[in-house]
Amino acid sequence: MLVELKRKYPTRLDLPSETEIRSVISSLVAKQKKGQSTDIVIGNRGIAEPYLTTVFEIFRENPAIQPKSAWVLFQQKHPPEATTPTYPLQKKVMSKISSLKSSYKKTGVMP
């Protein structure tokens, strides 16, 4: 299933792991056996738009930026007092910057 997701979304960096996929499938099978609803409710994964676009812009401007510095720039562009339910956590933004840096080092291709 993960192979199909990678094929369908080749540029996505936040695909679920095999463990996450197995976990959801197991819970669906258990719910189905109990006669419960099998609607899939998945928590917020990744960074929502327009915040993700901002993270990419920050990285493109300076691919060598440290995650902590990227977080400071991110907060300047999207002040925390204007938070919404989709406002990303510091951990997620810093993790995304680290992931982009690793990907860029491996492939040499700017996201």
Side-chain angles (χ1 to χ4, degrees), residues 56-108:
F56 281 125
E57 288 171 0
I58 290 169
F59 180 74
R60 284 187 194 114
E61 289 170 8
N62 182 3
I65 194 166
Q66 293 299 313
K68 186 75 171 176
S69 301
W71 174 246
V72 171
L73 287 174
F74 179 84
Q75 287 183 307
Q76 289 172 356
K77 293 183 181 198
H78 296 283
E81 59 267 10
T83 59
T84 64
T86 59
Y87 193 81
L89 298 173
Q90 177 181 2
K91 179 181 173 181
K92 284 191 175 188
V93 171
M94 290 174 59
S95 177
K96 187 65 169 179
I97 291 292
S98 295
S99 173
L100 290 170
K101 286 175 72 169
S102 296
S103 177
Y104 180 62
K105 282 181 184 178
K106 287 180 185 176
T107 63

Side-chain angles (χ1 to χ4, degrees), residues 27-54:
S27 67
L28 286 173
V29 169
K31 283 181 178 183
Q32 188 177 28
K33 285 181 181 178
K34 292 178 182 178
Q36 297 175 343
S37 172
T38 56
D39 293 338
I40 299 175
V41 178
I42 298 176
N44 184 15
R45 296 193 83 237
I47 301 172
E49 290 295 341
Y51 306 118
L52 183 60
T53 302
T54 302

